[in-house]
Amino acid sequence: MKKIINIIFSLCFSILIITGVIKFTVGFKPLYYYDIDKLNIVELTNMSKEDIKLNYDYLIEYITSKKENDFEMPTITSSKEGKIHFEEVREIYQNVNKIFNVCLIISVLGIVYNIRNKNIRFLNLTSILLIIMPVALVIPIVIDFDSSFVVFHKLLFDNDYWIFDPILDPVIKILPAEFFMNSGLMILGFILASSIIIQGIYRLLKRKREQ
């Protein structure tokens, strides 16, 4: 029974970290600001850097907000399908937020439970899970990013509104695929760093116990 409880706590702790990293990366605007220059988005869109930032900031604020406002970008027009797509993206983000909150409660209870029982093995298991889960997802992306990008969207959305027409939804011009790849790499980097830190804490505590 203790092993099952340990696995559940470790799984929730891992999901907490993964969803937390996703939330942080989505809201980390400096990455996109850096990519504006790196990916030549100004030249690709014929828009000013200020306008690109203005519309991107609106997009992120819309997705992360709990308020159900109508989607209306500052200087970029959107089709009906485009608006529906971003409403669906917002819903997915809010679900990630809910998962994060649930896992936070379970993880806090789990940490308290394990501390009282002087159990540190859950840290080792969490560290392992934080490597296994992302790597399992990254392998197909590394092999074929474009196909993985399509499959990812087909799994998340039950329509093809994510396939934007640049004329009807010019927002797609300011969101190149390379930016999503960079965001994915940032998420992976933070998750792997978290795994290393947790593994380090586990080994440090284990060494102290053995002394």
Side-chain angles (χ1 to χ4, degrees):
M1 185 65 180
K2 286 185 178 180
K3 287 185 177 180
I4 295 176
I5 293 175
N6 201 45
I7 291 173
I8 293 173
F9 284 153
S10 296
L11 183 60
C12 286
F13 195 18
S14 300
I15 294 174
L16 172 71
I17 292 172
I18 292 172
T19 52
V21 168
I22 291 173
K23 280 161 56 66
F24 174 79
T25 303
V26 170
F28 189 69
K29 296 176 184 178
L31 174 63
Y32 181 76
Y33 295 165
Y34 171 76
D35 274 351
I36 291 176
D37 296 322
K38 183 182 178 182
L39 302 178
N40 300 314
I41 296 177
V42 172
E43 288 76 10
L44 291 173
T45 60
N46 290 319
M47 293 174 61
S48 69
K49 191 172 183 177
E50 290 69 27
D51 269 355
I52 293 172
K53 283 185 176 182
L54 179 67
N55 286 281
Y56 180 77
D57 288 351
Y58 171 83
L59 182 61
I60 296 304
E61 288 165 12
Y62 174 82
I63 291 171
T64 57
S65 175
K66 293 182 179 180
K67 296 179 181 179
E68 296 185 7
N69 299 324
D70 292 333
F71 183 79
E72 204 68 51
M73 301 192 80
T75 65
I76 296 178
T77 58
S78 300
S79 67
K80 177 182 177 182
E81 291 76 15
K83 291 181 179 181
I84 292 174
H85 173 70
F86 285 113
E87 287 172 2
E88 292 174 336
V89 172
R90 179 187 171 282
E91 185 176 346
I92 290 172
Y93 179 87
Q94 296 306 322
N95 287 333
V96 169
N97 205 35
K98 290 175 183 177
I99 293 171
F100 173 85
N101 292 334
V102 171
C103 288
L104 176 60
I105 295 172
I106 296 175
S107 295
V108 169
L109 293 174
I111 291 172
V112 172
Y113 172 84
N114 282 297
I115 289 176
R116 286 183 176 178
N117 287 275
K118 297 181 179 180
N119 174 36
I120 61 172
R121 287 178 295 178
F122 80 100
L123 292 172
N124 186 45
L125 182 55
T126 299
S127 175
I128 294 171
L129 289 172
L130 282 173
I131 292 178
I132 293 176
M133 289 191 285
V135 168
L137 294 173
V138 164
I139 289 175
I141 294 175
V142 172
I143 294 173
D144 189 343
F145 174 77
D146 292 335
S147 296
S148 298
F149 191 74
V150 172
V151 171
F152 171 78
H153 280 80
K154 286 186 176 180
L155 289 173
L156 288 180
F157 306 103
D158 57 4
N159 54 55
D160 60 357
Y161 295 165
W162 59 273
I163 304 176
F164 287 104
D165 182 337
I167 297 176
L168 298 177
D169 288 292
V171 63
I172 193 59
K173 294 179 181 179
I174 71 170
L175 298 171
E178 291 87 350
F179 164 65
F180 291 106
M181 183 173 69
N182 291 340
S183 297
L185 291 173
M186 181 175 176
I187 290 171
L188 178 63
F190 274 118
I191 292 173
L192 292 178
S194 299
S195 175
I196 293 171
I197 292 171
I198 292 173
Q199 182 63 218
I201 294 172
Y202 167 72
R203 292 190 179 188
L204 179 62
L205 293 175
K206 185 180 179 182
R207 195 178 299 118
K208 286 185 176 181
R209 283 191 175 185
E210 293 173 349
Q211 290 177 350

